[in-house]
Amino acid sequence: MGKTVFQQTCASCHMADGAGLPGAFPPLKQSDYFKKATPAALVKIMDHGLTGEVTVNGQKFNSAMPAQNLSDQEMSDVLNYVSVALNGGKAAFKPEQVKKLRAAK
């Protein structure tokens, strides 16, 4: 399900392969930013969006990501997809964890 959510929600900016758009939208594939971010930070970014300069893989990006209107399940699915399929990581997100992190605001 994470791939479907990614294609519907993220791919328009981060591209279908997650490589991003140079100079405009940062990559999620092999992303040092994603790999270093805490689960709380990733949930916050998806929930509230992100504006301003970020550096990903040594490149600076200064654009705006809008808040994503996703359920706890959809958010955990897409974060797991990005972690596993695009970054060679593990499926570490569960809907219950996302719900707790959202409530912690």
Side-chain angles (χ1 to χ4, degrees), residues 28-72:
L28 294 175
K29 182 177 186 177
Q30 297 305 316
S31 166
D32 64 350
Y33 188 92
F34 182 88
K35 290 176 185 179
K36 288 189 261 183
T38 65
L42 294 172
V43 168
K44 182 178 179 183
I45 290 168
M46 294 197 65
D47 235 7
H48 301 285
L50 182 66
T51 303
E53 187 174 273
V54 295
T55 302
V56 180
N57 300 340
Q59 295 184 336
K60 292 185 187 297
F61 295 86
N62 194 354
S63 54
M65 177 179 149
Q68 304 301 307
N69 186 21
L70 299 174
S71 69
D72 296 336

Side-chain angles (χ1 to χ4, degrees), residues 43 71-73 75-76 79 93-103:
V43 168
S71 69
D72 296 336
Q73 182 68 57
M75 191 176 294
S76 64
L79 287 169
F93 292 88
K94 296 187 178 353
E96 302 80 28
Q97 176 192 23
V98 169
K99 185 175 183 169
K100 274 185 173 180
L101 291 170
R102 284 177 150 168

